Amino acid sequence: MPTSNDFTTNASGQLASAFFPASAPTPFSRADFGADFHWGAACAAYQVEGGWQQQGKGPSVWDDFTRRRGAIRRGEHARVGPDFFHRWPQDLDLARGLGLTDFRFSAAWARVLPAGTGPVNQPGLDFYDRLVDGCLARGLRPWLTVFHWDLPAALQARGGWTNRDVTGWLAEYAQVLARRLGDRVSHWMVLNEPMVFVGAGHLLGIHAPGRRSLGAFLAAAHHATLAQAEGGRALRAALPAAARVGTTFSCSQLTPHRPGNAYDEAATRRADALLNRFFVEPVLGLGYPVAELPPLGWLLARYQRPGDEERLKFDFDFWGVQNYTREVVRFTPWLPLQWATLVSARRRQVPHTEMNWEVYPESIYQMLKKFAAYPNAPRLVLTESGAAFPDHLQAGQVPDVARRAYLQAAIGQVLRARREGVPVDGYFYWSLTDNFEWAEGYGPRFGLIRVDYETQQRTVKDSGRWYRDFLSGQPVPAAAAPRAAVVK
Ligand code: IFM
């Protein structure tokens, strides 16, 4: 099945139609999004910074997890990574060179508070201060994610996300950041993709802290939902009134494996409740979506206290929608609790990325529509979307045709939603540079900018150049450019 970067090898055109379904809008240009639309790229501290023990930084759960034998592909870790800790001026210069208006990054909790709570590590906080000033000096609006998965190891030793006190720890940390940076950072996000760090970290055991326990999952899930709202309140209390407070959610369009089959349809509704609705609906005061998953409701009740339903609510200024693919769901009678499995793209023999995620940009449109349909939903921003395809340096260039096509297709799907009235205000490509892709190590490359991890040399890929041209006003023609390469 095609995962190739070279469209010319895909004579069937299957890859092209995956990127550009008939519904994809063309032609279009930046002007169609209006002057205030946010154009960015995103990254996260643990994945790019390196500098893992520098200037007083404490250890995080990922520093510990990457030491575990077999936890990470090829035994890789992120102690140096793309070395953003030292090379951020160069990376921000490149971001500006692409014409981005906004830059999203996260702070490493243990760089700011080495023990998770208590004394602040001033050099660590100073680093983010310089980074924020560096963004502003280059005309990049900084967007700061408070928590992108790197919990301080000292807090994990106290139970981490399974300890209800984590809500207070997070609020304290959020306020430290807000007090120092709130005069310059206009957009804040409390959590990055809670379902991923809770599910992959506490139930599946494939991310830090590597737990495989239903109890740990449920406790962490409830505490993360509480922390999301408490963190929002803590930020709002400490930030100037003009600052925008948001949070982000992972999500995927879900399709039954056998459309029309009652079991697969019901399994899809259960998966939707867990994967797309679980962290969103309590924020709106709708409670957890347990009607589809009664056993989950009974089990979760063990971790809830009187008054929690109220505490889970928060009126965010925006939601960050993060979408990479769609999932196909099949009824699975032997799987307790969910009775649903996701049928992998490889198994379905559809075009997919190196993450084994189906190439399906239309899911972006579907998810924006879905989130916007909630009564009282705030404004939306696509705070992540991206694609990992293999790429190579050839004569000083990186001809990453597939990523370029994905980027164009993703932006087109955002426009499609916007044209139908969805209040979506920004697009952030994941990621500015190649980086450490968690359990997959350095294998999958998502970046608009290639990183040679031996030399730390940066090379803007063709996808990055395409983004630059698009942002400079170059229109996407009616017959999308990469399509021409397909029918060879
Ligand atoms: O790299 C991750 C990121 O940390 C969170 N969202 C998904 C990306 C790709 O897997």
Side-chain angles (χ1 to χ4, degrees):
M1 229 357 77
T3 55
S4 172
N5 214 13
D6 177 4
F7 274 25
T8 57
T9 59
N10 179 19
S12 70
Q14 191 185 4
L15 190 54
S17 59
F19 283 107
F20 303 109
S23 55
T26 54
F28 65 86
S29 74
R30 176 182 180 165
D32 291 305
F33 292 80
D36 296 334
F37 196 80
H38 299 276
W39 293 104
C43 68
Y46 189 75
Q47 294 177 272
V48 295
E49 280 182 7
W52 71 304
Q53 286 179 319
Q54 291 196 357
Q55 299 180 10
K57 180 183 170 294
S60 81
V61 286
W62 274 94
D63 292 320
D64 289 346
F65 189 65
T66 49
R67 270 196 215 101
R68 265 199 211 178
R69 187 184 289 273
I72 313 293
R73 287 258 165 115
R74 299 167 294 275
E76 289 166 343
H77 55 73
R79 290 172 207 154
V80 177
D83 196 25
F84 183 76
F85 185 65
H86 297 106
R87 294 169 196 270
W88 64 265
Q90 182 191 357
D91 288 347
L92 293 189
D93 285 346
L94 289 168
R96 179 180 54 181
L98 297 185
L100 305 186
T101 58
D102 298 74
F103 179 65
R104 177 178 175 227
F105 62 96
S106 74
W109 190 334
R111 198 179 287 292
V112 177
L113 296 166
T117 61
V120 171
N121 175 39
Q122 283 307 332
L125 196 50
D126 291 348
F127 167 70
Y128 295 110
D129 199 274
R130 287 194 299 278
L131 182 57
V132 166
D133 282 347
C135 287
L136 295 171
R138 291 166 177 81
L140 296 165
R141 198 178 289 107
W143 291 53
L144 176 49
T145 312
V146 172
F147 180 72
H148 197 129
W149 307 358
D150 47 354
L151 190 78
L155 296 183
Q156 186 58 37
R158 295 160 73 181
W161 285 98
T162 66
N163 183 339
R164 191 178 164 105
D165 290 346
V166 72
T167 58
W169 303 335
L170 182 91
E172 176 188 335
Y173 160 53
Q175 291 205 332
V176 170
L177 292 175
R179 286 198 200 101
R180 178 73 180 269
L181 308 172
D183 55 340
R184 285 155 291 153
V185 175
S186 54
H187 291 77
W188 294 72
M189 288 141 289
V190 180
L191 300 182
N192 189 73
E193 297 181 350
M195 186 45 88
V196 181
F197 73 81
V198 167
H202 298 81
L203 186 64
L204 305 176
I206 55 173
H207 278 192
R211 302 283 310 270
R212 276 204 185 111
S213 146
L214 182 59
F217 167 73
L218 294 164
H222 183 53
H223 300 149
T225 321
L226 275 174
Q228 165 178 273
E230 293 291 1
R233 278 186 280 278
L235 284 176
R236 192 161 284 154
L239 286 171
R244 307 285 85 194
V245 178
T247 198
T248 76
F249 305 106
S250 52
C251 58
S252 300
Q253 180 187 337
L254 300 174
T255 312
H257 185 54
R258 295 162 295 180
N261 175 290
Y263 291 102
D264 283 359
E265 299 272 357
T268 304
R269 283 194 294 278
R270 285 192 287 273
D272 184 46
L274 194 62
L275 300 180
N276 293 331
R277 298 169 51 203
F278 189 89
F279 288 98
V280 180
E281 297 191 1
V283 167
L284 293 171
L286 302 171
Y288 290 111
V290 290
E292 279 76 13
L293 299 158
L296 189 68
W298 309 325
L299 292 167
L300 259 179
R302 290 180 52 194
Y303 304 93
Q304 287 167 285
R305 294 193 188 156
D308 273 5
E309 198 147 321
E310 215 32 54
R311 287 186 199 106
L312 295 174
K313 291 194 222 165
F314 186 68
D315 60 329
F316 284 106
D317 298 311
F318 68 95
W319 287 345
V321 176
Q322 312 208 150
N323 179 266
Y324 288 82
T325 188
R326 74 158 170 180
E327 299 288 357
V328 169
V329 186
R330 182 163 59 191
F331 174 64
T332 320
W334 56 86
L335 252 193
L337 202 58
Q338 297 178 45
W339 305 289
T341 38
L342 306 180
V343 188
S344 79
R346 205 170 284 142
R347 193 126 180 238
R348 287 182 280 126
Q349 304 205 321
V350 291
H352 54 272
T353 70
E354 280 203 283
M355 299 294 283
N356 192 14
W357 293 343
E358 180 178 0
V359 173
Y360 202 83
E362 192 174 352
S363 177
I364 292 170
Y365 161 81
Q366 298 292 352
M367 298 318 294
L368 288 170
K369 294 282 281 187
K370 181 179 173 79
F371 279 63
Y374 281 110
N376 302 323
R379 305 215 46 105
L380 305 178
V381 176
L382 203 78
T383 38
E384 279 186 29
S385 109
F389 291 105
D391 55 46
H392 306 280
L393 194 59
Q394 289 169 23
Q397 306 224 327
V398 184
D400 58 336
V401 184
R403 187 175 297 98
R404 178 167 69 108
Y406 174 83
L407 178 59
Q408 176 183 308
I411 292 173
Q413 294 296 336
V414 175
L415 180 60
R416 188 177 161 208
R418 231 175 116 86
R419 280 184 174 153
E420 292 178 24
V422 171
V424 52
D425 297 331
Y427 175 82
F428 286 76
Y429 179 79
W430 180 274
S431 179
L432 179 68
T433 62
D434 292 335
N435 58 56
F436 180 75
E437 179 52 31
W438 308 111
E440 302 301 321
Y442 295 100
R445 289 178 179 267
F446 280 89
L448 299 170
I449 296 169
R450 185 176 166 90
V451 175
D452 178 327
Y453 293 108
E454 296 294 314
T455 62
Q456 294 293 354
Q457 191 191 326
R458 270 65 168 155
T459 308
V460 177
K461 303 180 190 179
D462 281 3
S463 53
R465 293 149 78 109
W466 181 88
Y467 202 13
R468 181 197 62 199
D469 292 347
F470 173 76
L471 293 178
S472 74
Q474 220 169 84
V476 173
R483 226 187 272 204
V486 179
V487 209
K488 202 174 175 188

